[in-house]
Amino acid sequence: MATGSSGGGSLASNHDGQETASNSVQSVQSGSAAAVLSNVPASSGPARSASPPVLGLHREPMYNWQATKSSLKERFAFLFNNELLSDVRFIVGKGRQAQRIPAHKFVLAAGSAVFDAMFNGGMATTSAEIELPDVEPAAFLALLRFLYSDEVHIGPETVMTTLYTAKKYAVPALESHCVEFLTKHLRADNAFMLLTQARLFDEPQLASLCLDTIDKSTADAINAEGFTDIDLDTLCAVLQRDTLSIRENRLFGAVVRWAEAECYRQQLPPTSENKQKVLGKALPLIRFPLMTVEEFAAVNPKPRVDYIDRPRCCLRGEECSINRFQQVESRWGYSGTSDRIRFNVNRRISIVGFGLYGSIHGPTDYQVNIQILESDKRITLGQNDTGFNCDGTANTFRVMFKEPVEILPNVSYTACATLKGPDSHYGTKGLKKVTQESATGTKTTFFFFSSPGNNNGTSVEDGQIPEIIYYT
């Protein structure tokens, strides 16, 4: 065994695709991961401090140095990156970035089965210098520091390469520290980048946490810069999920952006045909049947394959409702025109239905069409033709959409309800602003405005659509 790389391979065979991982790590060092994690503070284990620069060799006096170190840990820590008593050297990195790092076979073999096989196995190396071109010097020093002193130095610029190095040399304790660091600083805007790395390095726990974050904040995650950089398999893993909290047409728009980026990576013109080509197995995972007619009409060219129509279960948090009226009166008539009210909200929610008033003449059945429109674009985001039965009281009665309607903060929407039935109760003393606090302390504020045009008379002050039922 001539080099540390080949020596590492003999016992690290469980890390298939090591060369691919190495290439990915090099790309990480080029700035993508560091940029995403640039605002993350460094983290460390015992004797924690900021991630250190690559260290020079110790130059302390050599005679009787043992007397100044009162513990075994101090004595071994003194030998870290020190020529004193060293019996092996590593040439770490490539080209001008390569560094010669001294080490001690006994310490390395005691902390890593890969190093043990490298120095003491049946094919042990006899070379005094071992080349490690696929390892970053800073990451290798972080590994050695941990083996010599149990100290952990992890920063945003070295965490990925340190994770790679810890896995290559089978040091699971350091690997766990890297995963803990990444988990602690996982956010929607870096979830896709970390998911790609978690899949590459076979870290199922981190991958699962990334997917949970993407589920909860899908819109923020797909709008992050790192989304278009993921590989096709990672894209498919996400599109297969039933738990994404986003409307299908918005998800499709993000997938189109990914396809454009992939065309650029493959040096292909971003034509519709090439986008479909690079999407390949990902395209059938888009659930076009979940789109409204208007949304699907905007898809060009129309796909020619079968698609999944299973709804994505995007409801999270708790069900809440707000009532915009303070008093109930009678009578409100219907002539085939919809009652409408405009509103916006201060945070992202999913509306699942309305509470509507029923008849003043006792138990009655109503036919009703409910809709939510994006006011400025006049796009129908959700609708349902259904019915409900009322008991003649002044209570409201739930009428639900077929699937949740995603509502974004500070965007104007119009709620519509077209009822067929006898005169009903109606609300008065309406509020322009209604705030609802959830059990977790989260506050959702609705702002209401009168809707001009084809309206049956509903306004901020009085009328129909008293309740909005939603999930936070």
Side-chain angles (χ1 to χ4, degrees):
M1 187 177 305
T3 70
S5 285
S6 58
S10 63
L11 264 176
S13 59
N14 57 316
H15 308 307
D16 291 337
Q18 179 171 296
E19 183 175 351
T20 302
S22 172
N23 293 336
S24 176
V25 168
Q26 298 296 334
S27 69
V28 166
Q29 282 302 99
S30 69
S32 60
V36 172
L37 294 170
S38 60
N39 61 339
V40 174
S43 175
S44 57
R48 295 173 182 249
S49 65
S51 181
V54 178
L55 301 177
L57 301 184
H58 287 303
R59 297 299 183 187
E60 295 187 32
M62 298 303 173
Y63 176 72
N64 200 25
W65 61 269
Q66 298 88 341
T68 65
K69 314 299 177 187
S70 60
S71 67
L72 180 65
K73 179 180 178 180
E74 286 185 84
R75 290 190 287 275
F76 273 89
F78 176 76
L79 294 175
F80 161 66
N81 198 28
N82 197 328
E83 292 280 4
L84 181 66
L85 303 180
S86 67
D87 51 3
V88 64
R89 292 177 182 80
F90 293 91
I91 310 301
V92 186
K94 294 181 179 179
R96 294 183 178 180
Q97 302 301 318
Q99 295 191 28
R100 180 177 281 101
I101 299 174
H104 307 78
K105 294 180 180 179
F106 170 76
V107 177
L108 272 56
S112 161
V114 174
F115 283 128
D116 190 19
M118 185 186 299
F119 300 132
N120 305 310
M123 298 179 64
T125 180
T126 58
S127 175
E129 287 194 343
I130 299 172
E131 296 183 2
L132 304 178
D134 63 318
V135 178
E136 291 292 324
F140 193 71
L141 283 167
L143 173 73
L144 294 190
R145 183 187 293 275
F146 182 75
L147 295 179
Y148 277 78
S149 66
D150 282 338
E151 292 183 10
V152 181
H153 289 265
I154 301 172
E157 315 219 331
T158 59
V159 60
M160 290 298 183
T161 50
T162 302
L163 175 60
Y164 165 73
T165 307
K167 291 187 76 71
K168 174 175 180 176
Y169 292 104
V171 185
L174 180 58
E175 178 185 338
S176 296
H177 281 291
C178 293
V179 172
E180 180 184 356
F181 178 91
L182 293 170
T183 301
K184 181 178 179 181
H185 301 290
L186 173 62
R187 306 181 306 272
D189 63 358
N190 62 19
F192 273 108
M193 185 277 292
L194 295 182
L195 176 60
T196 300
Q197 299 300 324
R199 287 167 57 83
L200 175 67
F201 293 135
D202 189 26
E203 291 291 345
Q205 179 184 4
L206 178 59
S208 178
L209 290 170
C210 289
L211 288 169
D212 286 344
T213 300
I214 291 168
D215 282 346
K216 294 174 183 176
S217 304
T218 310
D220 290 337
I222 65 172
N223 286 330
E225 184 177 347
F227 170 73
T228 56
D229 296 330
I230 64 177
D231 59 276
L232 180 62
D233 287 339
T234 300
L235 178 65
C236 290
V238 172
L239 294 180
Q240 288 169 349
R241 297 178 70 78
D242 296 335
T243 46
L244 301 177
S245 55
I246 191 169
R247 290 187 60 81
E248 204 68 20
N249 68 309
R250 293 195 67 202
L251 183 62
F252 175 64
V255 171
V256 171
R257 285 194 292 109
W258 182 91
E260 292 171 350
E262 184 65 15
C263 285
Y264 178 80
R265 285 189 287 268
Q266 296 188 23
Q267 298 182 332
L268 296 172
T271 63
S272 297
E273 292 75 15
N274 284 337
K275 291 176 190 176
Q276 293 190 37
K277 177 182 177 181
V278 299
L279 281 170
K281 60 185 179 181
L283 189 58
L285 300 178
I286 299 295
R287 303 180 187 182
F288 289 101
L290 301 184
M291 295 183 183
T292 65
V293 173
E294 294 85 355
E295 290 167 350
F296 187 71
V299 176
N300 273 310
K302 296 293 185 292
R304 299 180 180 178
V305 294
D306 295 330
Y307 293 93
I308 303 167
D309 60 1
R310 184 173 64 253
R312 299 192 191 270
C313 304
C314 60
L315 296 184
R316 292 181 175 269
E318 61 177 312
E319 182 180 296
C320 304
S321 66
I322 56 102
N323 192 320
R324 64 190 190 91
F325 295 123
Q326 302 178 78
Q327 187 171 314
V328 181
E329 301 285 352
S330 56
R331 105 190 11 219
W332 195 265
Y334 303 100
S335 59
T337 303
S338 63
D339 286 278
R340 298 174 173 236
I341 189 71
R342 289 173 57 224
F343 68 94
N344 59 40
V345 191
N346 68 325
R347 61 192 302 270
R348 181 185 289 115
I349 60 172
S350 294
I351 292 179
V352 295
F354 299 148
L356 302 179
Y357 290 122
S359 172
I360 61 175
H361 301 297
T364 308
D365 291 330
Y366 281 88
Q367 293 297 311
V368 60
N369 172 272
I370 58 173
Q371 295 182 340
I372 291 183
L373 312 176
E374 187 171 339
S375 302
D376 296 335
K377 297 180 180 179
R378 298 183 181 179
I379 298 173
T380 301
L381 303 179
Q383 64 177 337
N384 192 17
D385 284 300
T386 183
F388 70 95
N389 177 267
C390 65
D391 60 9
T393 67
N395 296 329
T396 57
F397 302 90
R398 291 163 64 96
V399 182
M400 311 303 284
F401 290 99
K402 292 180 180 179
E403 61 179 276
V405 180
E406 183 185 35
I407 301 298
L408 301 178
N410 305 316
V411 175
S412 178
Y413 299 92
T414 303
C416 308
T418 308
L419 281 77
K420 292 182 180 179
D423 292 350
S424 74
H425 294 89
Y426 70 98
T428 61
K429 297 185 179 180
L431 301 171
K432 293 183 178 180
K433 174 182 176 182
V434 181
T435 298
Q436 172 75 32
E437 184 170 353
S438 68
T440 59
T442 301
K443 291 184 178 181
T444 304
T445 301
F446 286 76
F447 302 89
F448 293 99
F449 311 90
S450 294
S451 180
N454 190 22
N455 194 345
N456 192 47
T458 287
S459 65
V460 174
E461 291 76 22
D462 52 30
Q464 257 288 1
I465 318 179
E467 282 187 351
I468 295 179
I469 306 166
Y470 64 97
Y471 275 74
T472 57

